[in-house]
Amino acid sequence: MYVTSRILRASSGAAMPQAIAMVNYVLEHLNSTHGTQFGAGVSVGGDPAAIGITGGFESLADYEALRAKLPTDQDYQAAMQMGDHLFENTTQDTLWNVRIPPGDQDAVTQVSSVRMELTRISEAMTFAAEVAATVSEIVGRPTGLVTAATGDRSRLLWVAYSPSLAQIEADAVTLEANAEYLDLFKRSEGLTQPNTLEQDIWMRVTP
């Protein structure tokens, strides 16, 4: 399975509510017309103008088929032109390969990212899958594993869904008190690039 992601940025703080409404309108059209599964979220504790869009596809052929339909989708093209002034001109797209599914979506998405040492990618991938399994067992909810199919191929993501920010906080307390989890950081040496571990939180805004 593959996931496509796009980061949009509202042209201003005042434009953010309209930008979110436009994104939801376009995604509802795509999902109802083309049978896609797009969703959107806003950054929490990160870029206040960022709106992240994701959509899952069983194969790259399915993704290619959607892209082929969009130029002739008049409603989609009209909406894109109508909402153009709500967004900055910078857009970032990435395709991701889902190695371990993260489970059912919820209100909050937690993304922990790191860059692998490409000379040890096989070992790094095996270790990353172990991390996902360990965290899933400790917190009692699935943690997924995703790698970049486009862009910087060293990027690796652990993705988990939560019902609230409070749950994320509670999970962090649980993990940081677990010796097996803490040992994973030591074992990552040589498999991941130093000082590249980051975390992002996204709050879902699509219905």
Side-chain angles (χ1 to χ4, degrees):
M1 182 176 181
Y2 291 84
V3 168
T4 178
S5 69
R6 170 172 293 187
I7 304 296
L8 301 173
R9 288 176 174 82
S11 57
S12 67
M16 192 65 167
Q18 287 181 287
I20 293 173
M22 177 57 67
V23 166
N24 282 338
Y25 172 80
V26 172
L27 297 189
E28 193 282 329
H29 168 73
L30 291 175
N31 291 342
S32 62
T33 303
H34 301 291
T36 52
Q37 298 178 2
F38 281 104
V42 294
S43 177
V44 176
D47 184 348
I51 303 173
I53 299 171
T54 59
F57 297 87
E58 287 299 322
S59 67
L60 291 180
D62 292 336
Y63 175 67
E64 184 179 25
L66 174 66
R67 288 177 56 88
K69 295 174 183 176
L70 294 182
T72 58
D73 184 333
Q74 295 183 359
D75 291 338
Y76 170 80
Q77 294 297 334
M80 295 296 286
Q81 293 178 14
M82 183 172 59
D84 186 60
H85 67 287
L86 298 173
F87 304 96
E88 294 181 357
N89 291 328
T90 56
T91 301
Q92 178 183 339
D93 284 357
T94 308
L95 274 172
W96 303 92
N97 191 338
V98 180
R99 307 288 183 165
I100 301 174
D104 295 331
Q105 288 194 2
D106 212 326
V108 183
T109 303
Q110 184 177 11
V111 181
S112 299
S113 62
V114 75
R115 282 177 164 76
M116 299 177 286
E117 292 288 2
L118 291 179
T119 55
R120 301 184 66 185
I121 188 169
S122 179
E123 297 167 272
M125 288 287 296
T126 299
F127 174 74
E130 181 185 347
V131 171
T134 300
V135 172
S136 298
E137 182 177 356
I138 294 171
V139 303
R141 291 191 315 283
T143 294
L145 177 62
V146 181
T147 57
T150 61
D152 184 350
R153 293 295 303 278
S154 71
R155 289 174 300 170
L156 179 151
L157 310 179
W158 291 281
V159 180
Y161 299 123
S162 297
S164 65
L165 294 177
Q167 185 62 59
I168 287 180
E169 181 181 23
D171 289 345
V173 171
T174 300
L175 289 168
E176 290 165 8
N178 186 285
E180 183 180 6
Y181 171 76
L182 295 176
D183 186 58
L184 294 172
F185 290 95
K186 296 179 183 179
R187 293 175 53 206
S188 70
E189 294 180 7
L191 300 177
T192 60
Q193 299 176 28
N195 304 316
T196 60
L197 180 63
E198 297 183 1
Q199 181 166 284
D200 294 292
I201 298 174
W202 297 87
M203 185 74 72
R204 187 173 176 88
V205 294
T206 44

Coordinates of all heavy atoms in Angstrom, one line a residue, residues 54 96 102 108-114 143-144 146 156-162 168 197-202:
T54 N -3.4 13.6 3.2 CA -2.9 12.2 2.9 C -4.0 11.4 2.3 O -5.2 11.6 2.5 CB -2.5 11.5 4.2 OG1 -3.6 11.4 5.1 CG2 -1.3 12.2 4.9
W96 N 4.7 7.6 -0.1 CA 5.2 6.8 1.0 C 4.8 5.3 0.8 O 3.7 5.0 0.3 CB 4.7 7.2 2.4 CG 5.0 8.7 2.7 CD1 4.2 9.7 2.4 CD2 6.2 9.2 3.3 NE1 4.9 10.9 2.8 CE2 6.1 10.6 3.4 CE3 7.4 8.6 3.8 CZ2 7.1 11.4 3.9 CZ3 8.4 9.4 4.3 CH2 8.2 10.8 4.4
P102 N -0.8 1.4 10.2 CA -0.9 2.0 11.5 C -2.3 1.8 12.2 O -2.5 2.4 13.3 CB -0.7 3.5 11.3 CG -1.1 3.7 9.9 CD -0.9 2.5 9.1
V108 N -6.2 12.3 16.2 CA -4.8 12.9 16.2 C -3.9 11.8 15.6 O -4.0 10.6 15.8 CB -4.4 13.2 17.7 CG1 -3.0 13.8 17.7 CG2 -5.4 14.1 18.4
T109 N -2.9 12.3 14.8 CA -1.9 11.5 14.2 C -0.6 11.9 14.7 O -0.2 13.1 14.7 CB -1.9 11.6 12.6 OG1 -3.2 11.3 12.1 CG2 -0.9 10.7 12.0
Q110 N 0.2 11.0 15.2 CA 1.5 11.2 15.7 C 2.5 10.6 14.8 O 2.4 9.4 14.5 CB 1.6 10.6 17.1 CG 2.9 10.9 17.8 CD 3.0 10.3 19.2 OE1 2.1 9.5 19.6 NE2 3.9 10.7 20.0
V111 N 3.5 11.4 14.3 CA 4.5 10.9 13.3 C 5.9 11.1 13.9 O 6.3 12.3 14.2 CB 4.3 11.7 12.0 CG1 5.4 11.1 11.0 CG2 2.9 11.5 11.4
S112 N 6.6 10.1 14.1 CA 8.0 10.1 14.5 C 8.8 9.8 13.3 O 8.6 8.7 12.7 CB 8.3 9.2 15.7 OG 7.5 9.5 16.8
S113 N 9.8 10.7 13.0 CA 10.6 10.5 11.8 C 12.0 10.4 12.1 O 12.5 11.0 13.1 CB 10.3 11.6 10.8 OG 10.7 12.8 11.3
V114 N 12.8 9.6 11.3 CA 14.2 9.5 11.4 C 14.8 9.2 10.1 O 14.1 8.8 9.1 CB 14.6 8.4 12.5 CG1 14.4 7.0 11.8 CG2 16.0 8.6 13.0
T143 N 1.2 0.8 16.0 CA 2.1 1.8 15.4 C 2.5 1.3 14.1 O 3.0 0.2 13.9 CB 3.4 2.0 16.3 OG1 2.9 2.6 17.6 CG2 4.4 2.9 15.7
G144 N 2.4 2.1 13.0 CA 2.7 1.7 11.7 C 4.1 2.1 11.3 O 4.8 2.9 12.0
V146 N 6.4 3.4 7.9 CA 6.3 3.9 6.5 C 7.7 4.4 6.1 O 8.4 5.0 6.8 CB 5.3 5.1 6.5 CG1 5.1 5.7 5.1 CG2 3.9 4.7 7.0
L156 N 12.3 7.6 7.2 CA 11.4 6.5 7.8 C 10.5 7.1 8.8 O 10.9 8.0 9.6 CB 12.3 5.5 8.4 CG 11.7 4.2 9.1 CD1 12.7 3.1 9.0 CD2 11.4 4.5 10.6
L157 N 9.3 6.7 8.8 CA 8.3 7.2 9.7 C 7.6 6.1 10.5 O 7.3 5.1 10.0 CB 7.1 8.0 9.0 CG 7.5 9.0 7.9 CD1 6.2 9.5 7.3 CD2 8.3 10.1 8.5
W158 N 7.4 6.4 11.8 CA 6.5 5.6 12.6 C 5.2 6.4 12.8 O 5.3 7.6 13.2 CB 7.1 5.3 14.0 CG 8.2 4.3 14.0 CD1 8.2 3.0 13.8 CD2 9.6 4.7 14.1 NE1 9.5 2.5 13.8 CE2 10.4 3.5 14.0 CE3 10.3 5.9 14.2 CZ2 11.8 3.5 14.0 CZ3 11.7 5.9 14.3 CH2 12.4 4.7 14.2
V159 N 4.1 5.8 12.5 CA 2.8 6.6 12.5 C 1.8 5.9 13.5 O 1.7 4.7 13.4 CB 2.2 6.6 11.1 CG1 0.9 7.4 11.1 CG2 3.2 7.3 10.1
A160 N 1.2 6.7 14.3 CA 0.2 6.1 15.3 C -0.9 7.1 15.4 O -0.7 8.3 15.4 CB 0.9 5.9 16.6
Y161 N -2.1 6.6 15.6 CA -3.3 7.4 15.8 C -3.7 7.4 17.2 O -3.6 6.3 17.9 CB -4.5 6.9 14.9 CG -4.2 6.9 13.4 CD1 -4.2 5.7 12.6 CD2 -3.8 8.1 12.8 CE1 -3.9 5.7 11.3 CE2 -3.5 8.1 11.4 CZ -3.6 6.9 10.7 OH -3.3 7.0 9.3
S162 N -4.3 8.5 17.7 CA -4.7 8.6 19.1 C -6.0 9.4 19.1 O -6.3 10.2 18.2 CB -3.7 9.4 19.9 OG -2.5 8.7 20.0
I168 N -1.8 11.0 23.9 CA -0.4 11.1 23.5 C 0.5 11.3 24.7 O 1.5 10.7 24.8 CB -0.2 12.1 22.4 CG1 -0.8 11.6 21.1 CG2 1.3 12.4 22.2 CD1 -0.7 12.6 19.9
L197 N 16.0 12.4 14.7 CA 14.7 12.0 15.2 C 13.9 13.2 15.5 O 14.2 14.1 16.2 CB 14.9 11.1 16.5 CG 13.6 10.6 17.1 CD1 12.9 9.7 16.2 CD2 14.0 9.9 18.4
E198 N 12.7 13.2 14.9 CA 11.8 14.4 15.1 C 10.3 13.8 15.2 O 10.1 12.7 14.9 CB 11.8 15.3 13.8 CG 13.1 16.0 13.6 CD 13.0 17.0 12.4 OE1 11.9 17.1 11.9 OE2 14.1 17.6 12.1
Q199 N 9.5 14.6 15.8 CA 8.1 14.2 16.0 C 7.2 15.3 15.6 O 7.4 16.5 15.9 CB 7.8 13.9 17.5 CG 6.4 13.4 17.7 CD 6.2 12.8 19.1 OE1 6.6 11.6 19.3 NE2 5.6 13.5 20.0
D200 N 6.1 15.0 14.9 CA 5.1 15.9 14.4 C 3.7 15.4 14.9 O 3.5 14.1 15.0 CB 5.0 16.1 12.9 CG 6.3 16.7 12.4 OD1 6.5 17.9 12.7 OD2 7.1 16.0 11.7
I201 N 2.8 16.3 15.2 CA 1.4 15.9 15.6 C 0.5 16.7 14.7 O 0.6 17.9 14.5 CB 1.2 16.3 17.1 CG1 2.1 15.5 18.0 CG2 -0.3 16.0 17.4 CD1 2.0 15.8 19.4
W202 N -0.5 15.9 14.2 CA -1.5 16.5 13.3 C -2.9 16.2 13.9 O -3.2 15.1 14.3 CB -1.4 15.9 11.9 CG -0.1 16.2 11.2 CD1 1.1 15.4 11.3 CD2 0.2 17.3 10.4 NE1 2.0 16.0 10.6 CE2 1.6 17.2 10.0 CE3 -0.5 18.4 9.9 CZ2 2.2 18.1 9.2 CZ3 0.1 19.3 9.1 CH2 1.4 19.1 8.7

